[in-house]
Every structure is written in structure tokens, then in C-alpha cells.
Amino acid sequence: MDGRDLVRSVKSVGSVGAAQGLRTVRAAWRRRRTDATGLPPRGPERARVPGTVREVEAEPGGGVVRFDRSELRILVAVNGAVFWGWDGAAPTPSHALAGRCPEPDPRAALEPDKDGGWRVVAERVTVAVSRHGAVEVLTPGGVTLRRDLPPRWWEPVGGGAARWRQRSEVPADARFFGLGGRAAGPRLRDGTYQLWNTAPGRVFGPGDDPSSITMPVQLVVADAGTHLVFHDSSWDGTVTLREGEEGAGSGHDRAGTSELRMDGGPLRCWVMVGTPARVLLAWASLTGAPALPPAWALGHHLAYEGLGGEEEVRRVVAGHREHGLPVDAVHLGAGRFDARQVFTVDRERFPELPVLADELRRDGIRLVSVVGPAVGAVPGDAVYDEGTALDAFVRDSSGEVVRGVAWPGDAVFPDFTHPRVRAWWGGLYAESLARGFAGFRHDLDEPTSFTAFGEPTLPRSARHALDGRAGDHREAHNVYALCMAEAAFEGVRDPAPHERPFVFSRSGWAGMQRYGGTWPGGAATGWAGLRAGLALVLGLGLCGVPCSGPDVGGFDGDPSPELYLRRLQLGAYLPLLRTHTGPCAGRGEPWGFGAEVLEHARAALVERRRLLPYFMTLAHLARRTGAPYVRPLWWSAPEERALRDCEDAFLLGDFLLVAPVLAPGVDRRTVPLPRGRWYDTATERAYEGPARVLVEAPPERIPVFARAGAVLPVRGEDGGPELEVWAPARGRTGGGWVVPDAGHGREDPELERLTVRWAGPRLVVEREGADGAGAPACPVRFRGLGPGRGQM
């Protein structure tokens, strides 16, 4: 806690009104005073390094290497992931892991290495430990992927949490990705990145950091291979990255470096090695499979930000229907609350909310409610009184309940790191379900202030249960939203056993995909915000969170018609598509931008609806494999250096390549194509990759390419299922996966594998099954064959 919080608080007075602004300033003073007395003083510190190896002890899957002043535990799990922890750190307890630690691989063993070191050899990776404590990760062929230098600790002489630093080296050609997704780009350039979930306090663009979701997760791509490293500590910290440089001629390479500094917590990490797909599979098996969304959640979400009531919502929905704009969900924001609590509804503006919900549901539209963690400190209110009786709210180091500033004024905050509190909070969602809400959006869950956007609410000295371990907010802050999402997911799942929960959060941590998706907060309206939103979606996917998407329209003013249209065209190909409407959203409806924009916006939304079966298939594949819906172009070919640096195009699954327009006045753009044949979906012209091609990008569309041989499940013109098959090159075959899923229910339907091949002059599509191949169960439309030859 420092004076910057106070400066932000003072600036907020004019924007939220004098009374609320003064509350915010007082809250900031309280936080500062509480931390001054509640946090232990650091005082003198003693530096420590491991020393030299003294002895080893073999264990299943690895063993323990003991040094003069520390010890290192190494474990190779059956899923191929490697764990190591210093100073006795074990894989559990951990908020990131899904359940227990994976079983050790019995084939991996600790054995002597050169120069007095030791190593563990596994099927996919070798881990070598030097006599001074350096840890090296190598491919089975002996090529170094990562080298961690001996760590260093700074321990308070009087006792307390030790700070630590871990420096690492990677190959000179390596590129860094991840850290929860950063607005600067999916490729993380040289710089220092903070690991403390923070509401931006304003709209954000490419230069803003940190964000609402930060994770100590790095995905590193190099010629030698791809690896993911996760340092499992939720404390505040920084990562400083420096890309390497390859020597020219006889010059020496300069390795890339990563320096992680943490204010506390265990020094432990997991490493996964292999192709990007294999790495994300191991990561999902470790931290949990992504939650499967209902089908409507993959459609068009309309966020109503107005202060009107039921009739205004009906008017907005009718306007979209009148203009032929599909809508699948309507989000009611803070304007639907009464003056007390986020779980209650303003009865004057929404007197018959269940009736409204039923009307919308009959038209295929679901209601989504915003929920924040703050509970108004209003004696007599059921939520506040229940939480008080349960001792559910966060307390400071002196035992007093911490009070912050929220929408109704003074507020208290549940301690979601306590199982009993999570169970109580999850039960509160049942009433909202009964009123007709089908999904929930968590906002300001970093947690941050309702009234002074971006203000922290809990002092770092606040006490938390941490699932029985007890600690303070320095450790609990980054996992606070994750635990809130867990409470909501379990609470929504129990009263609706035949429905898939839909919960998505603004903040979170490693493993948050188990409970739903995310949207990256308030991206700037300008073109820079458009680029930042795409970067965040790509980065989150590489950290195991496949379902995300920035809001269309931005938050800091009215976009130009061109910008609004380009944002919508990009959003139509991202997992979460959410547009804004209402008085608080500016000129939010597409028809407000003129007839031409309306026509092109309708085409984008109709195309999104046509692709819903493909999105649902990608959701099932993500659940089974951990692969994100949206992938960088290098996903299947990380050795292609030209693709590693591409940040303005992406793959949607295996079969579509999307090249959005990210700058004004662009009607043509260059698109890098990976190896193979690709079809421009608008013209059906074929291109051979690898190549860079110049294509048209008129206002009505952005360039989209389909891979030759792709089998895409889509919605036909009659609304029924259909297969769109893009012809493979002569002599080649193709195929794809299809999930016959209605989009609701808890069961995991079987994936159907379809193949396409040439049989003389004809293309044949077959469905593979246990009883052999058979004909597809739905109509097939061939594309890429030339005019007049596209149907079957």
C-alpha cells in the first residue's frame, strides 16, 4: 500500500460525487493505516543461496537434492509435467491445481550427472540439477529449453515471509507469451510485468499493465521446442523479460532471460514440454478442464447499460429483432440493482422480472446478471445479516471487519478463500436463477471499488482463511476472484442439474477455466483498444483460458462507424461476443451508425450464428484437450519463425484463419498463410502457403480463409445442421470433428470424426464410427470446387 492509492482516490471525488468521493478517500486512509500496523515490518534481511549439493534421496518420479542451505524436490508426473520446489515446497496445497497432484511417473528416476550434479530422465524431458542449484530443462535429444540459475532468498532477520528471485535463460530465438494475457500483445516484449490483479481504473490500451488477470504462466516458443512454466505463488511480484539475440556470422548468441521476483510464497514451479497442443493438454490435466458453456453463451450477448426498466429492455430487444440482428443473451448491469445489494432487483423498474425472462427465453434469449463481491453494510438486509452471523466477511489484523466503498456506500467483502463462505455465497445465486437469470457476470472482483473504478478495497494486511492455512491479502488477492468464481459455479450448478452453468469473470488466476470464461474489462474505444483486446484473448488462451472476448464498442466514448464495424467483425470470430446498448453505452445500437454499417453488422452477426456449431465443437475440443478456440498462427508450426511474430491474424480452431482489420482506412491487407492450401471464404480463390498474400478487406467483411480439406459443422439456411466441406488438394485427404450437441445438459456427447477424400472425380465424405464408415447424418455443401459445383 502506498500514496498512489490516495492520489487516485482524490481524483475520483469529482467523478463519483462529493459524498462517495469522500468515502473513497477515507477508505484509502483506513487501508494505509491498517497496513501500517497490520503488516510485519521487513527490517534487516539476510540473503541466502542454495550452496552446494550434500546428499540426495530418490523418490518415485524423482527425488530430493539437499544443498548446504536449501533442498530441492523434483517430481515427474504421469502426464509428463515436471514439478520442482525449493525449501520443502510441495505441489499442494494449491488453488491452481484441480484436485490432487498427479501421480509420479514410475519410469522417471534420479541419477548422477556430470560435475557432481544430478538429473531426472523422463520420456519427454530431462531435468538436470547442477552442484550449485541451477536447474536445466532439456529435450530428450539434449537441447536446452530453459536454464534456471540458482535462486536467491531475502529473509527478514526477525522472521516472516521471504522475498525471492529466480533468473532463467532461454534460447536466443525464443519468444515469450502468456502471463495471463497482456494488452501489449500476445508476444511479450522486453519489459517488466506486474503479477498483481489490478482494475485499470480507466479504459486500457496496449501500453497499460497490469490487468485484471495476471498469472505467473509463461509459454516459451523456440526452434528447439515449446515449454510452459508456471510458478505457483499467488503473491505480488514482477517478471522482467528480455528477448535474446542470435549472433551474426561467428558472433555468439545472447540468451533470452526471465527474472521473476516475488514478495513471498513458495518457490515452486511446473514445467511442461512438447508441441503447443501437448503442452496445453498437460496444463489442462493439471489445472482442470475448461467448463463447457451452454450453446446460447456462444452467441451474441447484448449488454444493456441503461438505467431504464423492463420496457426499455423489451424495446432494445425488439429493435434488434426488427433490424434482423440475432440476440442470444441480454446482460443487465448495475442499473437493475436496488439501492442496497447486488443480489436484489429494483422492483420499480423490474416489477415482473420472471415474466420478462420467460418472454425472452421463448425467443431463445437468456438473461445474465452482473454480480460483484461487495455486500452493502446495511443492517437488516438478509445478505448482510446472514454473512455477519456466519462470520463470512474479511477482517483486518485487529479482528475488525474490513469496510470498503461500494455502490450503496460502505461495504464489506466475503472471504471466498473459506469453504464455508463459498458454500453460503453460492447458495445466494439460487434466488436469481428462480427470478429468471440464466448466467452471471462477475465484475470488480479483483476486488476493486464500485464507485472509484480501479481503487483497491482490501488492505494487504487483511486476514483470509486460505482454505485452512490462514494468511493475509498479500497471498489471497490474486486468487480472490478465482475462489468467487468457484463459489458461483458450484452454486449455479446444484439448483439447475440439467443446465450448464454460465459464469464469467473479469478477474481470475491460474485454473479459472474450470469455472467459466472471462472478458478483459474495459478496452479503449480507439483502434489501439481493438488491438489490445485481440492480444488479451490470444494470451489468455495460451494460459489455458479458452473462452474470452473484449466488449465491442469500448468504454471511453463513441467509436466511429468504421471502428465500430471492424470491432464487431473481429468479435464475430472470438469466443465471447458482447456488444453494448443503452444510454450509458453511447451510440451503441448498430442502426445508430447508419444504414451501411447496419447492413454489414447484420452480416457479421448472421455469420456468427451460422458458425455456432463450429464454436460448440471447439468448446468440446477445449474441454477434452485444453486447446484454445483462438490460436496464434504458429500453433501447429512453432518452428516457423515468421509466424511467431504475427500478431494481427489468428486461427479459429484448426480450419479458419481470420485476418481482422486493426487500423483505419484499410481496404486491403497482407495475410500470412501457414503451410498448405487455403481458400478465401468470400471468393473461394485458393492460395498455397507458406506465403504472404494481399487480399481485399472491404467495409463489408474482413478476410477469412478456410484450410483445404476442412469439414466445418455449421447451421444451414433452414436452421438445421449442415457440413461445409472445403475441397482438399488433388491426391490429399481432409477431415474434422463434429459434436452432435444441442448445447444444454451436462453430458459430454461423443465426438464424430469425418473424413473427406477424392474418389476419382468425386469428393466423398464419410463418418467414422465403431461399426465402420458411413454417410454423414446431415446435408453436405462442398466449397472450393468452382462455380456451380458447391452443393450435394
Side-chain angles (χ1 to χ4, degrees), residues 436-504:
F437 288 110
F440 300 90
R441 171 174 65 93
H442 288 175
D443 201 354
L444 305 174
D445 51 342
E446 290 83 5
T448 190
S449 171
F450 268 58
T451 54
F453 186 58
E455 277 293 292
T457 57
L458 297 176
R460 296 194 178 211
S461 58
R463 308 303 296 171
H464 290 270
L466 289 169
D467 289 294
R469 292 181 291 112
D472 58 38
H473 197 63
R474 293 175 297 173
E475 182 177 0
H477 176 84
N478 280 340
V479 299
Y480 187 87
L482 172 72
C483 295
M484 180 182 176
E486 178 185 357
F489 185 83
E490 298 296 336
V492 172
R493 184 172 62 174
D494 291 344
H498 302 295
E499 297 290 335
R500 296 174 189 165
F502 176 67
V503 177
F504 73 115

Side-chain angles (χ1 to χ4, degrees), residues 312-324 591:
E312 180 69 12
V313 172
R314 289 187 175 95
R315 183 198 65 78
V316 169
V317 171
H320 281 75
R321 186 181 297 114
E322 176 185 347
H323 289 93
W591 55 90

Side-chain angles (χ1 to χ4, degrees), residues 179-246:
L179 296 184
R182 300 292 166 133
R187 173 186 164 192
L188 302 176
R189 263 65 173 193
D190 294 359
T192 298
Y193 302 86
Q194 189 172 359
L195 298 171
W196 186 258
N197 290 349
T198 306
R202 63 189 185 283
V203 295
F204 64 84
D208 295 319
D209 191 81
S211 63
S212 298
I213 301 175
T214 64
M215 301 181 196
V217 179
Q218 296 178 31
L219 188 76
V220 184
V221 182
D223 287 352
T226 300
H227 74 273
L228 181 148
V229 59
F230 167 53
H231 288 88
D232 194 355
S233 172
S234 60
W235 286 62
D236 192 2
T238 60
V239 179
T240 301
L241 302 177
R242 293 287 183 270
E243 290 185 347
E245 183 176 347
E246 293 180 288

Side-chain angles (χ1 to χ4, degrees), residues 39-400:
L39 289 176
R42 299 255 2 143
E45 294 180 321
R46 180 186 300 112
R48 173 168 62 91
V49 294
T52 57
V53 173
R54 296 180 57 187
E55 61 180 0
V56 300
E57 179 181 346
E59 294 180 346
V64 179
V65 182
R66 295 186 174 90
F67 297 81
D68 292 331
R69 292 174 291 276
S70 186
E71 68 177 33
L72 175 68
R73 181 181 302 275
I74 302 177
L75 166 72
V76 179
V78 291
N79 65 350
V82 179
F83 169 85
W84 66 78
W86 288 94
D87 285 355
T92 56
S94 169
H95 285 96
L97 269 60
R100 298 185 306 168
C101 173
E103 294 295 321
D105 185 347
R107 299 169 297 177
L110 187 65
E111 59 186 42
D113 198 12
K114 59 186 179 180
D115 300 326
W118 293 80
R119 67 179 183 177
V120 178
V121 179
E123 179 183 5
R124 302 171 190 166
V125 64
T126 296
V127 181
V129 182
S130 78
R131 62 190 298 264
H132 293 293
V135 181
E136 196 168 6
V137 179
L138 305 98
T139 67
V143 180
T144 299
L145 294 177
R146 187 181 193 91
R147 183 172 185 265
D148 284 5
L149 303 178
R152 181 181 292 268
W153 294 266
W154 288 267
E155 300 169 328
V157 173
R163 298 183 295 119
W164 52 266
R165 181 191 70 193
Q166 177 69 75
R167 289 180 174 174
S168 307
E169 296 177 348
V170 297
D173 66 287
R175 296 289 184 263
F176 296 100
F177 301 87
L179 296 184
R182 300 292 166 133
R187 173 186 164 192
L188 302 176
R189 263 65 173 193
D190 294 359
T192 298
Y193 302 86
Q194 189 172 359
L195 298 171
W196 186 258
N197 290 349
T198 306
R202 63 189 185 283
V203 295
F204 64 84
D208 295 319
D209 191 81
S211 63
S212 298
I213 301 175
T214 64
M215 301 181 196
V217 179
Q218 296 178 31
L219 188 76
V220 184
V221 182
D223 287 352
T226 300
H227 74 273
L228 181 148
V229 59
F230 167 53
H231 288 88
D232 194 355
S233 172
S234 60
W235 286 62
D236 192 2
T238 60
V239 179
T240 301
L241 302 177
R242 293 287 183 270
E243 290 185 347
E245 183 176 347
E246 293 180 288
S250 60
H252 295 288
D253 288 350
R254 178 173 59 83
T257 61
S258 167
E259 180 177 283
L260 176 62
R261 290 177 176 264
M262 300 295 286
D263 287 347
L267 202 175
R268 58 183 181 179
C269 74
W270 288 89
V271 175
M272 283 133 269
V273 174
T275 64
R278 185 181 291 276
V279 164
L280 267 294
L281 176 61
W283 178 241
S285 70
L286 186 70
T287 60
L292 190 64
W296 60 264
L298 296 174
H300 173 209
H301 295 241
L302 183 62
Y304 175 68
E305 301 295 345
L307 300 177
E310 294 177 0
E311 293 308 314
E312 180 69 12
V313 172
R314 289 187 175 95
R315 183 198 65 78
V316 169
V317 171
H320 281 75
R321 186 181 297 114
E322 176 185 347
H323 289 93
L325 304 172
V327 176
D328 298 279
V330 173
H331 293 227
L332 299 185
R336 63 91 178 166
F337 300 147
D338 71 5
R340 299 181 302 165
Q341 303 294 0
V342 295
F343 276 109
T344 56
V345 176
D346 188 328
R347 303 278 183 162
E348 292 185 4
R349 283 177 290 150
F350 294 91
E352 296 181 323
L353 183 63
V355 175
L356 173 65
D358 286 342
E359 290 178 9
L360 295 177
R361 188 179 285 262
R362 285 195 294 270
D363 291 330
I365 301 172
R366 288 353 187 243
L367 275 182
V368 176
S369 172
V370 64
V371 177
V375 175
V378 183
D381 177 82
V383 177
Y384 177 74
D385 290 346
E386 288 177 12
T388 300
L390 192 66
D391 191 19
F393 302 123
V394 175
R395 295 180 179 271
D396 61 22
S397 58
S398 66
E400 296 294 322

